[in-house]
Amino acid sequence: MLFRSSLQAAIGVAQMERVDEILKKKVHISDTYDMLLKNVPNIRLMKDPSYGKYVCWLYTLFVPNIKMRNAMMTYMDKKGIETRKTFYPLSVMPPYKTVEKFPVSKQMAQAGISFPSSPLLTDDDIVFVVNTIKHFMRTYDREAKKK
């Protein structure tokens, strides 16, 4: 256990030496995604709150519903792009479970998707992801109109 803790500490110290570079790259990645996705219908982007700045740890966007989210995640996986669901609301996790309703956090959890955001991503990687998202949206909209 000590070895793992020492190794993790060494990695953490090394990352802290590069923190400014990493954060600058993460902001660039987020800004690039935002610029390329800002006019795509049925996609809602994260916005900085009035009281602070978004951290850019993950790049997350929102689609209208869980059905579209799941279809997009399946499509992205088939194209070799890893995605992940957003976090579950605290109010449904066992230690914090409550009968109180939190519809906004529930909707965000059901409609949010996080996309690749490693500092190692290139602009070409981001363009590939965005073009795949746009293709999915066009295809999904066309299929929805047929039904």
Side-chain angles (χ1 to χ4, degrees), residues 18 25 29 117-123 125:
R18 299 181 43 232
K25 178 67 176 177
I29 289 166
S117 59
S118 163
L120 301 176
L121 282 180
T122 66
D123 286 350
D125 294 332

Side-chain angles (χ1 to χ4, degrees), residues 131-143:
N131 285 340
T132 307
I133 292 169
K134 289 178 177 178
H135 185 266
F136 168 81
M137 295 306 287
R138 285 190 304 271
T139 304
Y140 191 87
D141 286 344
R142 232 178 294 139
E143 292 300 315

Side-chain angles (χ1 to χ4, degrees), residues 28-40 43 45 59 122-131 133-134:
H28 171 76
I29 289 166
S30 180
D31 289 347
T32 304
Y33 271 121
D34 284 350
M35 179 186 66
L36 297 172
L37 289 167
K38 68 181 172 189
N39 295 318
V40 177
I43 287 181
L45 305 176
Y59 185 81
T122 66
D123 286 350
D124 288 343
D125 294 332
I126 298 167
V127 168
F128 174 72
V129 172
V130 167
N131 285 340
I133 292 169
K134 289 178 177 178

Side-chain angles (χ1 to χ4, degrees), residues 80-141:
I81 299 169
E82 187 176 340
T83 59
R84 66 186 284 182
K85 298 173 186 175
T86 52
F87 296 103
Y88 294 103
L90 284 176
S91 60
V92 301
M93 294 183 180
Y96 311 104
K97 196 166 179 99
T98 177
V99 294
E100 227 177 313
K101 302 294 181 202
F102 296 94
V104 174
S105 59
K106 180 181 176 184
Q107 196 278 331
M108 289 179 75
Q110 292 179 345
I113 309 170
S114 294
F115 287 87
S117 59
S118 163
L120 301 176
L121 282 180
T122 66
D123 286 350
D124 288 343
D125 294 332
I126 298 167
V127 168
F128 174 72
V129 172
V130 167
N131 285 340
T132 307
I133 292 169
K134 289 178 177 178
H135 185 266
F136 168 81
M137 295 306 287
R138 285 190 304 271
T139 304
Y140 191 87
D141 286 344

